Amino acid sequence: MRLAAFAALCALLLAGCAGDAPCPEADIEEIASGVYVRLGKVGVVFEADDVANVGFVIGSEAVAVIDSGGSPAEGEALLCAIRQVTKLPITHLINTHVHPDHVFGNRPFVEANPTISIIGHTNLPRATALRGASYVQNANAVRATPWQPEQVIVPPTATTGDELRIDLGERELVVTAHPAAHTDNDVSVLDTPTNTLFTGDLLFRHHLPVIDGSINGWIEVLESWLRNAAPTLIVPGHGPVSESVNEAFRPNLAYLSAVRKDVRAAVARGDSIEQAQEEAGVEAGAGWELADHYHQRNVAAAYVELEWE
């Protein structure tokens, strides 16, 4: 089911939009019973809107949101889209990791429900404190209207430990914290009734994977999912939903494994980081969207990690 180009007015006190203002457009798809996703567009963070995938899950008593988007406007659009579907309270907002395209939409949800539980990895509060101001500065360098930090920096109010289970009423979500991989603060979310796995940016499809944590750890996560996971649907952080574990995870694993192999060889030869960036993983990166923007950065991140093995 698609709910797009909303023409209906947001209901007062329910929509999260002001009074009789129309809801901002948000292209939402119900991918499984009670599970909704807004797929992001291909684009570089801050240079494009609606980049990351976001979603929400509806139980019999409450709603949980999985990532809020890259701006208050994105969060507002998602909030209004939810209110077009259900009037149930939005009790949980799960941030899969610290990157701004996933968390800068938090503010409208807090304004709509000051008691909402914002959940993240145990490392997320520290990452938010360390990076938030620089993210705002980077965003404002390309924005026509600058953000104030308090508009977009909304830290978690609760953390996961290794695992957190959320009861939405006849529906349980399992939030799993992962070791350093894409970042050092990644969580994934499993909707148990439909067996739908939200991976956050532990999975990219079509968009080149971006390393901001540990290439070794990320490879281990992907290998573990390939061995042990059997989700019915897989929602990546970027790219289309998949019904196949192999189709979803193997391209990421192949790319990261190739980069690791080539960077290890470069380190063994004594190549500089600049030499490695010109040569390592070039073939593996070909064909991925935004490879020109992110591949050399990935090689640099891998080099810094692997030179100390």
Side-chain angles (χ1 to χ4, degrees), residues 197 203 218-231 234 244-254 257:
L197 178 65
L203 175 64
W218 199 347
I219 287 171
E220 289 177 7
V221 170
L222 293 170
E223 288 177 337
S224 177
W225 271 339
L226 282 164
R227 288 193 306 268
N228 303 314
I234 304 165
S244 167
V245 169
N246 284 324
E247 174 189 70
F249 297 134
R250 288 203 179 279
N252 280 232
L253 180 59
S257 297

Side-chain angles (χ1 to χ4, degrees), residues 47-112:
E47 296 179 11
D49 298 323
D50 303 321
V51 171
N53 293 344
V54 299
F56 59 96
V57 179
I58 304 173
S60 64
E61 299 176 359
V63 180
V65 177
I66 298 139
D67 285 334
S68 59
S71 68
E74 286 186 48
E76 186 77 9
L78 181 60
L79 176 59
C80 285
I82 295 169
R83 286 302 175 227
Q84 294 293 309
V85 179
T86 179
K87 297 178 182 179
L88 288 171
I90 303 169
T91 56
H92 296 79
L93 168 55
I94 303 162
N95 287 149
T96 61
H97 62 292
V98 73
H99 287 156
D101 51 327
H102 295 260
V103 304
F104 270 14
N106 284 4
R107 176 61 62 189
F109 291 94
V110 176
E111 292 174 348

Side-chain angles (χ1 to χ4, degrees), residues 33 61 85 107 127 173 176 190 210 212 234 244 246 278 284 287 297 303:
S33 179
E61 299 176 359
V85 179
R107 176 61 62 189
L173 302 182
T176 301
L190 180 69
V210 179
D212 190 24
I234 304 165
S244 167
N246 284 324
E278 292 299 322
R297 172 180 168 176
Y303 188 103

Side-chain angles (χ1 to χ4, degrees), residues 97-206:
H97 62 292
V98 73
H99 287 156
D101 51 327
H102 295 260
V103 304
F104 270 14
N106 284 4
R107 176 61 62 189
F109 291 94
V110 176
E111 292 174 348
N113 176 15
T115 65
I116 192 170
S117 181
I118 303 175
I119 296 167
H121 192 285
T122 302
N123 291 340
L124 184 58
R126 176 181 56 81
T128 301
L130 288 173
R131 296 180 174 212
S134 64
Y135 286 156
V136 174
Q137 184 177 10
N138 291 341
N140 287 343
V142 297
R143 283 182 51 80
T145 303
W147 282 325
Q148 296 302 312
E150 61 270 17
Q151 290 179 272
V152 290
I153 301 176
V154 181
T157 59
T159 55
T160 58
D162 293 335
E163 182 180 281
L164 179 67
R165 293 177 178 265
I166 300 172
D167 183 3
L168 299 177
E170 301 178 56
R171 179 170 226 136
E172 186 176 62
L173 302 182
V174 181
V175 185
T176 301
H178 296 274
H182 168 62
T183 68
D184 73 350
N185 51 87
D186 299 303
V187 301
S188 59
V189 183
L190 180 69
D191 174 56
T192 56
T194 65
N195 199 28
T196 299
L197 178 65
F198 288 80
T199 67
D201 280 5
L202 290 167
L203 175 64
F204 286 71
R205 300 196 64 216
H206 306 330

